Amino acid sequence: MSLEGLPKPENLHIDFEAPQTDWMETPTTFRSGTFSFPAAPKNIKYMGMANPREWSPTEEDWKLPDNWRQIILDGLKERLEKFRSFRLFMDICVRCGACADKCHFFLGGGDPKNMPVLRAELLRSVYRKDYTLAGKILGRMVGARDLDLKVLKEWFYYFYQCTECRRCSLYCPYGIDTAEITMIGRELLNLVGLNINWVQEPVANCFRTGNHLGIPPHGLIDMWEFCVDDIENVTGIRVDLPVNRKGAEILMVTPSGDYFADPGTYTFMGYLMLFHELGLDYTWSTYASEGGNFGLFTSHETIKRLNAKIYAEAKRLGVKWILGGECGHMWRVIHQYMDTMNGPADFLEVPKSPFTGTVFENARSSKMVHITEFTSDLIKHGKLNLDPSRNDKVIATYHDSCNTARAAGLLDEPRYVIKAVCNNFYEMPENTIREETFCCGGGAGLGNDENIEMRMRGGFPRANAVNYVRDEHGVNRLLCMCAIDRATLTALMHYWAPDVEVGGIHELVANALIMKGEDERKTDLRGEPLPGMEDMEEEEDV
Amino acid sequence: MNPWYSVLISLFIVIGLVLIALIGVGSIGLNSLFGVYIPYVAFAVFIIGFIWRVVEWARAPVPFKIPTTGGQGKSLPWMKHEKLDSPFTTGQVIVRMLLEVFLFRSLFRNVKGELRGGPRLTFASSKWLWLFGILFHYSFLTIVLRHLRFFTEPVPQWVQLISSLDGFFEILVPTFFLTDAAFLLAATLLFLRRVVIPQVRYISLPNDYFPLLLILGIGISGILMRQVFHVDLEKVKELAIGLAAFSPTVPKELGSVFYVHLFLVSVLAAYIPWSKIMHAAGVFMSPTRNMANNNRAVRHINPWNYPVKVHTYEEYEDDFRAKMKEVGLPVDKE
Ligand code: HEM
Ligand code: SF4
Ligand code: SF4
């Protein structure tokens, strides 16, 4: 991440004033720092998708197939027939503007085409031209326009400037979900080979190796064992690491961000410690080593192609049910798409906690439970021995991921867990949390280095709320349960709120967890001295 | 399109429509065209078009269950479930929908983001659009229902009740209906909002201004008939009942204003199915609102779910078998 090129936060120019020119006349400029680089041909080729080639958005020639226009229009027609959501959202917007200032990209950038309603109009205008009588006859008068290269380029710019967070859909009187329109818009762009590498590379990697980073099975073992070593250093306990083990009761699937880089790794260590302490009969999988699914940012078909592994692996290993780690967009796929796409999972059993006997009725069909559902149930039943004072240096607030909040309603489970393991917890202002939460600015594949200015702008409303609790309550830790967040919020805090660290929930669970036979803990999982242990640390250093 | 141009062009169209009716009836005397044929055609277009559009939506499948959740979903038994914002059962979905349709609940959530120096953002609840919207829709609804008194003999009790409640405050003689005032006010406010708020002005099209101006035209012509020109309501009723019974007679001496009013209503009726006013029907079909957040408990079927190319475990093991064995991972095929 490079924040060097950016102006200081106080000098970042934001202006809600609309330009003088009508939006259809306002040209799209690909300004450095505000767009993502195209997908490398090999990543498109590997997935067997359209038009792999080298190209650049800033060049005139995008090397499109000659009949690109027909491809898109045919694709549009097909999707109008396949998705009631899409067809309806094309027809019923009244342009009331209720969604306009709900999008973090508009709030942090002021570009009117980042108002959800205009983002949708970019596509709607083409729909009107080709699929409505009024549009055919009256054209511009009724907001219809031809699909030409300028329009296509505009789509690419703005559909890759939407993080599919669904905040707009919460406020729309008809529930028009611009995320759904963006998803379809990206699907159309993919038909002619317009996609970004930060999405397409994880997609290709995940397809081949099972995870976004392209780590082969032996590499995973290395990484995971490294975490086991770290845990031993902190606790003196060498935790189990069951991998690809047939006959386990539970398959655990988490986003690769959890084990790839700090601060995700601490959360990963948290799972290992929790499961070890419980004596959970479970296994990791190298084949299904990714809970995340960048297909969500590509096309519905790609979601399904990548998601298929989870049930397939559960079946192969013969587990009873599946547990999912801390991730946002993963949870949308698991909650809203998996069962429909790759179910029914009739070879699995209705999830039941082996320790509390709780049957997870809400996962009766899909057979997959979220880790905070699992852990909050354990805590409620007093199954964990916890010492929250070990987290006393942490003054925490919690960021709801867009997808767990607005596409699942998973809001109170994480809060329940956090409050049980951490004594200092402060909510950010209402209107910025729970279902009204603001995006980190880098979801949906936009959390890449080259897009840094847009990320910092898009993350501004979130950071602004963090700053508020930092100043009011001295908050120094931004908790989240999302692997993308842990990466993007870290950069965001660097820029907007430098003294706030980012971390996961199960990191704090593991810090607080008193394990049988553990050494006296001197440090937390990050290797920082626990409260009251600072002196001992120094003594050792001497 | 330049916003002023959009407003002007919409205004000219509405004025044009008024002139057509005035000239058509006043100068050329095409009373039965404007009194009978056009209303019939318009009404037919409305009914057929409306159904057509709804059927068109209904024919498109709903491949995925994608409710937008606005609160805690149903989870562990001891965790408080927000039944309205994250409905789990069909009953809860219905209540959520009723509140959307009758109270515009999502619009009620509206908060306005304000940019301050620093930069800093603040949010304040903003219910203006909700208020104007509620005022507009309910006065519109009341007025439409009140019109039933022209089409029925005897007038049903509940229609009379609406009229009498509405005219409760007898300000002028003849009764100045409270809803008439509310209606004109709300439509004007909605219009002003569109012109005044820069972002809303920026997104508005002629087809956003036109229906509002048309509706204002209907309202104004209606009030003029009542308060200024004193149109003979008995004659209006004669025509209306005739139309409803499919044996229309065109009474003489019905003033031109009445025909203006009727013509504008006809245009609105015929326009609705092809316009954004179809949101009235669409809102009921919106998948982010009318589906239950019970995705993991009740499987949703996608009618066009098709097999896709996946990377199977066997292929994966083939790619990595040697390495897997090296680190002691079990393999299916030696
Ligand atoms: C859930 C139900 C409904 C909601 C939330 C809703 C909301 C709205 C909103 C926000 C506007 C925009 C005003 C503007 O800024 O222009 C509007 C306009 C309008 N609505 Fe509704 N509406 C609903 C149902 C209906 C129904 C049942 C009708 C009956 C015909 C209707 C007719 C209209 C008309 C005529 C306009 C004004 C014309 C226009 O601006 O296009 N609406 N509605
Ligand atoms: S809130 Fe909904 S209806 Fe209003 S402008 Fe936005 S998308 Fe359109
Ligand atoms: S989904 Fe989120 S990012 Fe996309 S338009 Fe809506 S508010 Fe903006």
Side-chain angles (χ1 to χ4, degrees):
Chain A
M1 151 204 52
S2 129
L3 296 168
E4 283 102 61
L6 285 183
K8 290 231 162 51
E10 56 275 21
N11 297 331
L12 191 73
H13 182 70
I14 307 175
D15 189 354
F16 288 177
E17 206 59 41
Q20 287 307 304
T21 48
D22 171 60
W23 68 265
M24 282 198 201
E25 313 278 277
T26 312
T28 312
T29 36
F30 285 82
R31 192 157 50 82
S32 155
T34 68
F35 65 93
S36 306
F37 294 156
K42 67 172 189 339
N43 295 324
I44 301 183
K45 216 179 282 166
Y46 190 78
M47 296 305 291
M49 291 165 64
N51 199 13
R53 75 224 177 276
E54 297 283 353
W55 67 284
S56 162
T58 51
E59 273 163 31
E60 193 46 42
D61 181 8
W62 283 18
K63 304 183 189 162
L64 297 166
D66 290 337
N67 60 341
W68 67 265
R69 198 169 169 276
Q70 202 50 46
I71 296 176
I72 299 245
L73 291 178
D74 291 346
L76 181 62
K77 181 164 186 295
E78 185 190 334
R79 282 157 187 81
L80 287 168
E81 284 158 10
K82 279 169 108 170
F83 293 87
R84 183 182 302 166
S85 52
F86 183 49
R87 169 135 232 164
L88 201 69
F89 296 164
M90 287 296 105
D91 284 331
I92 63 171
C93 172
V94 299
R95 282 166 300 283
C96 68
C99 57
D101 59 354
K102 306 304 177 283
C103 179
H104 47 283
F105 284 118
F106 176 70
L107 288 171
D111 182 341
K113 284 181 199 162
N114 274 325
M115 296 193 271
V117 45
L118 265 199
R119 197 188 310 287
E121 289 284 309
L122 301 179
L123 213 163
R124 209 176 267 132
S125 51
V126 170
Y127 158 78
R128 285 196 196 101
K129 182 76 189 180
D130 285 277
Y131 297 98
T132 67
L133 190 62
K136 277 185 194 137
I137 301 169
L138 298 170
R140 281 287 297 271
M141 269 285 295
V142 290
R145 61 175 176 173
D146 269 319
L147 175 61
D148 60 19
L149 210 53
K150 273 205 328 275
V151 172
L152 190 73
K153 292 186 175 187
E154 196 180 36
W155 283 9
F156 179 79
Y157 192 66
Y158 290 102
F159 289 141
Y160 287 100
Q161 250 177 46
C162 164
T163 46
E164 303 180 3
C165 78
R166 312 186 93 201
R167 193 167 192 268
C168 44
S169 85
L170 184 74
Y171 296 92
C172 173
Y174 323 113
I176 294 178
D177 183 6
T178 306
E180 182 85 349
I181 295 171
T182 295
M183 283 166 72
I184 304 252
R186 289 189 183 189
E187 233 176 270
L188 295 174
L189 290 169
N190 265 285
L191 296 177
V192 293
L194 298 178
N195 33 26
I196 64 174
N197 203 48
W198 220 73
V199 169
Q200 194 66 19
E201 184 159 310
V203 163
N205 281 341
C206 190
F207 196 67
R208 188 171 67 89
T209 65
N211 58 73
H212 288 165
L213 304 152
I215 310 162
H218 47 291
L220 288 174
I221 297 293
D222 273 356
M223 287 178 135
W224 294 350
E225 276 181 347
F226 195 76
C227 289
V228 173
D229 292 341
D230 275 357
I231 293 172
E232 192 171 12
N233 287 340
V234 176
T235 65
I237 294 176
R238 190 148 189 96
V239 299
D240 304 330
L241 180 66
V243 183
N244 295 1
R245 186 165 70 83
K246 285 193 178 170
E249 182 177 354
I250 293 164
L251 169 65
M252 172 73 188
V253 180
T254 208
S256 54
D258 274 355
Y259 51 79
F260 171 66
D262 300 346
T265 44
Y266 309 122
T267 296
F268 185 76
M269 287 155 69
Y271 307 143
L272 288 172
M273 290 163 68
L274 175 69
F275 298 159
H276 178 90
E277 179 60 17
L278 289 167
L280 188 70
D281 178 13
Y282 83 109
T283 183
W284 299 95
S285 159
T286 58
Y287 172 62
S289 50
E290 178 64 68
N293 188 328
F294 275 31
L296 188 65
F297 316 139
T298 308
S299 68
H300 287 86
E301 180 171 309
T302 314
I303 305 178
K304 183 170 172 181
R305 290 177 71 184
L306 299 181
N307 174 260
K309 282 184 179 158
I310 297 182
Y311 279 151
E313 185 68 340
K315 193 166 189 174
R316 186 184 75 87
L317 295 175
V319 301
K320 290 192 179 138
W321 55 278
I322 311 168
L323 194 55
E326 293 186 15
C327 187
H329 81 281
M330 156 183 172
W331 203 246
R332 177 158 200 215
V333 172
I334 301 296
H335 186 73
Q336 293 199 326
Y337 294 102
M338 177 164 78
D339 200 7
T340 298
M341 287 180 166
N342 290 309
D346 41 17
F347 49 91
L348 296 174
E349 292 175 15
V350 177
K352 179 174 167 185
S353 169
F355 308 105
T356 65
T358 300
V359 177
F360 294 94
E361 290 290 346
N362 61 337
R364 134 173 313 280
S365 172
S366 76
K367 322 287 200 297
M368 187 152 174
V369 172
H370 192 272
I371 184 84
T372 57
E373 294 172 328
F374 179 71
T375 307
S376 55
D377 175 62
L378 290 171
I379 295 173
K380 178 78 180 177
H381 287 86
K383 298 291 177 192
L384 301 182
N385 198 357
L386 298 168
D387 175 6
S389 74
R390 287 182 184 170
N391 284 318
D392 273 355
K393 283 188 172 173
V394 174
I395 307 172
T397 191
Y398 174 65
H399 161 75
D400 292 273
S401 299
C402 305
N403 285 296
T404 51
R406 284 183 288 266
L410 194 71
L411 301 168
D412 285 326
E413 293 89 342
R415 287 178 169 78
Y416 184 82
V417 176
I418 293 168
K419 287 176 189 162
V421 299
C422 177
N423 290 322
N424 314 306
F425 174 69
Y426 298 96
E427 291 277 12
M428 284 179 272
E430 56 171 351
N431 300 140
T432 74
I433 52 167
R434 299 179 72 90
E435 69 277 4
E436 296 183 81
T437 189
F438 275 112
C439 178
C440 62
L446 308 187
N448 52 62
D449 282 353
E450 64 268 19
N451 190 35
I452 191 73
E453 180 182 331
M454 245 11 244
R455 280 171 59 190
M456 295 303 114
R457 286 181 180 280
F460 165 55
R462 170 40 76 226
N464 178 67
V466 174
N467 271 336
Y468 179 82
V469 279
R470 182 197 59 182
D471 298 344
E472 288 285 297
H473 306 291
V475 162
N476 59 13
R477 178 74 60 90
L478 177 57
L479 295 175
C480 56
M481 50 172 199
C482 173
I484 291 183
D485 280 334
R486 281 193 276 273
T488 56
L489 288 175
T490 301
L492 191 72
M493 291 302 108
H494 268 293
Y495 184 70
W496 290 105
D499 349 310
V500 180
E501 288 187 308
V502 177
I505 295 174
H506 278 74
E507 172 186 350
L508 296 194
V509 171
N511 279 337
L513 184 71
I514 301 171
M515 299 173 75
K516 290 180 282 290
E518 68 180 10
D519 296 346
E520 188 189 16
R521 298 238 196 135
K522 299 197 175 65
T523 69
D524 62 15
L525 290 181
R526 298 189 178 202
E528 284 161 22
L530 289 179
M533 292 289 177
E534 293 84 352
D535 302 342
M536 296 171 118
E537 183 85 343
E538 272 161 33
E539 276 164 34
E540 273 172 28
D541 284 351
V542 175
Chain B
M1 197 161 290
N2 179 302
W4 308 118
Y5 180 71
S6 301
V7 175
L8 281 180
I9 206 150
S10 308
L11 187 63
F12 286 146
I13 294 175
V14 176
I15 293 174
L17 293 171
V18 172
L19 291 178
I20 289 176
L22 283 177
I23 296 168
V25 175
S27 320
I28 318 181
L30 298 170
N31 294 33
S32 48
L33 179 65
F34 284 87
V36 176
Y37 296 108
I38 289 179
Y40 270 148
V41 171
F43 194 65
V45 170
F46 172 72
I47 298 285
I48 294 169
F50 196 94
I51 293 172
W52 173 283
R53 296 305 302 275
V54 171
V55 167
E56 205 176 40
W57 290 330
R59 275 190 16 221
V62 181
F64 303 108
K65 193 163 19 172
I66 53 164
T68 303
T69 54
Q72 173 64 34
K74 186 166 158 54
S75 165
L76 297 160
W78 46 271
M79 207 156 268
K80 191 170 174 300
H81 170 210
E82 294 278 353
K83 296 191 180 64
L84 294 184
D85 288 309
S86 230
F88 190 82
T89 63
T90 310
Q92 290 161 4
V93 171
I94 291 174
V95 178
R96 185 188 202 191
M97 286 306 296
L98 289 178
L99 291 175
E100 284 297 347
V101 173
F102 288 107
L103 294 179
F104 300 1
R105 194 149 168 270
S106 290
L107 209 51
F108 194 71
R109 277 183 188 274
N110 196 27
V111 281
K112 190 168 155 45
E114 216 125 19
L115 189 66
R116 319 251 150 147
R120 210 159 56 81
L121 280 171
T122 55
F123 302 93
S125 161
S126 169
K127 311 261 186 263
W128 294 113
L129 177 57
W130 176 84
L131 187 69
F132 300 168
I134 284 281
L135 205 60
F136 176 79
H137 285 83
Y138 275 99
S139 46
F140 193 99
L141 180 68
T142 316
I143 291 171
V144 169
L145 293 178
R146 224 171 44 212
H147 276 73
L148 290 177
R149 75 187 188 281
F150 295 119
F151 294 90
T152 48
E153 188 58 57
V155 180
Q157 205 82 63
W158 60 271
V159 176
Q160 286 177 356
L161 188 71
I162 293 177
S163 305
S164 60
L165 279 182
D166 203 5
F168 188 68
F169 302 94
E170 289 192 24
I171 309 167
L172 297 165
V173 183
T175 320
F176 189 85
F177 287 120
L178 205 58
T179 34
D180 290 357
F183 180 67
L184 285 191
L185 180 72
T188 309
L189 289 172
L190 284 178
F191 180 79
L192 287 179
R193 183 183 167 274
R194 249 186 215 292
V195 213
V196 172
I197 303 177
Q199 277 105 30
V200 185
R201 186 169 66 226
Y202 199 66
I203 59 178
S204 294
L205 299 168
N207 36 344
D208 297 311
Y209 297 112
F210 172 67
L212 275 173
L213 292 173
L214 182 62
I215 285 169
L216 272 172
I218 293 173
I220 292 170
S221 58
I223 291 173
L224 283 180
M225 268 193 294
R226 200 171 173 80
Q227 308 297 344
V228 181
F229 294 94
H230 304 301
V231 170
D232 186 342
L233 293 186
E234 288 306 314
K235 295 238 168 67
V236 173
K237 184 148 186 168
E238 199 183 312
L239 175 65
I241 287 202
L243 283 171
F246 293 105
S247 57
T249 50
V250 184
K252 298 212 169 46
E253 303 116 34
L254 259 178
S256 315
V257 209
F258 169 75
Y259 286 102
V260 169
H261 187 68
L262 188 59
F263 183 58
L264 294 185
V265 171
S266 303
V267 172
L268 180 66
Y271 173 79
I272 284 175
W274 323 107
S275 76
K276 67 175 197 182
I277 301 175
M278 282 306 289
H279 67 268
V283 61
F284 291 92
M285 303 173 85
S286 178
T288 60
R289 290 290 184 276
N290 72 6
M291 305 187 88
N293 177 30
N294 59 6
N295 294 61
R296 280 182 293 147
V298 182
R299 180 165 184 250
H300 179 79
I301 308 285
N302 172 3
W304 49 259
N305 198 13
Y306 57 93
V308 295
K309 190 176 170 325
V310 298
H311 192 63
T312 63
Y313 177 79
E314 290 70 34
E315 291 167 300
Y316 170 83
E317 197 181 288
D318 287 347
D319 286 351
F320 297 113
R321 186 168 297 108
K323 294 285 187 192
M324 288 172 81
K325 280 158 76 174
E326 228 167 78
V327 294
L329 283 171
V331 288
D332 281 359
K333 225 165 49 187
E334 281 304 322

